[in-house]
Amino acid sequence: MPNPWLSLWMSAANSWAGAARGFWSAEMQRQQTAMLKDMTEQMFRFWTGAWMIPSSTDWFKIRR
């Protein structure tokens, strides 16, 4: 014969575990999104930094 109290307790524990899993997954997704955004900004700055045109005063300092 199944124990109704154990069944009720297991059902509540499963519910709490599902909520915790959802919060954990959401936090992981937020961290991944933030990390990807930061990596993209760094990559953009790295690849576009070589195309920067020096200011007019810097250009004359370099040439002379």
Side-chain angles (χ1 to χ4, degrees):
M1 178 168 173
N3 185 346
W5 296 113
L6 181 62
S7 178
L8 183 65
W9 187 87
M10 292 296 284
S11 179
N14 189 31
S15 177
W16 279 99
R21 190 170 37 252
F23 286 127
W24 178 74
S25 296
E27 179 62 27
M28 186 175 64
Q29 182 68 32
R30 282 190 291 269
Q31 289 183 8
Q32 285 178 344
T33 302
M35 192 168 57
L36 185 61
K37 181 183 173 206
D38 188 43
M39 185 180 69
T40 303
E41 288 176 2
Q42 287 180 9
M43 184 178 60
F44 183 75
R45 274 189 259 124
F46 175 78
W47 287 107
T48 59
W51 297 340
M52 300 298 259
I53 299 172
S55 66
S56 60
T57 57
D58 291 341
W59 178 253
F60 289 116
K61 288 178 186 175
I62 292 171
R63 287 189 59 144
R64 290 184 181 200

